[in-house]
Amino acid sequence: MGLPGGWELILIVLVVVLLFGATKLPKMARSLGQSARVFKAEARGMKEDEEREEAKKREKAERESRELTSGESVTPSVTPPVEDKQRDESKN
């Protein structure tokens, strides 16, 4: 089934005008346009948020990579104090 022709389109418009009234149609069209603008703005904002998160992840990975190549470790190693070993040996 194809797109509606000329007479079918006129009939559809006439039914819509009769159902909603001629005064409500401009308000509905305006509301629909505002909703579309808000939707586009939100979608753009979500895309920008995702791009910022990706940039932060890349920056963190690069920073960790630089730390590892410079000979530093990401997590510091912890060695037990010498005094604790001596206390354990004196108890036995």
Side-chain angles (χ1 to χ4, degrees):
M1 198 165 147
L3 296 173
W7 287 108
E8 291 94 1
L9 202 56
I10 291 173
L11 184 64
I12 291 171
V13 170
L14 185 64
V15 169
V16 169
V17 169
L18 287 175
L19 285 176
F20 296 106
T23 57
K24 289 186 181 180
L25 287 178
K27 292 178 184 176
M28 288 174 53
R30 190 176 306 116
S31 175
L32 186 63
Q34 288 175 347
S35 298
R37 269 185 261 132
V38 167
F39 179 75
K40 286 180 182 179
E42 289 296 325
R44 193 178 317 118
M46 288 176 61
K47 186 176 180 181
E48 289 172 357
D49 288 344
E50 288 176 2
E51 289 173 352
R52 271 190 239 119
E53 286 296 321
E54 288 295 321
K56 284 181 183 179
K57 286 179 184 178
R58 274 187 258 119
E59 183 179 309
K60 182 179 178 183
E62 289 174 4
R63 195 176 327 120
E64 288 177 355
S65 174
R66 275 186 262 130
E67 287 177 358
L68 289 175
T69 55
S70 67
E72 300 172 4
S73 64
V74 176
T75 56
S77 60
V78 178
T79 56
V82 178
E83 296 176 23
D84 291 339
K85 288 181 182 179
Q86 291 175 350
R87 287 182 189 162
D88 289 339
E89 290 174 2
S90 65
K91 289 181 182 177
N92 290 333

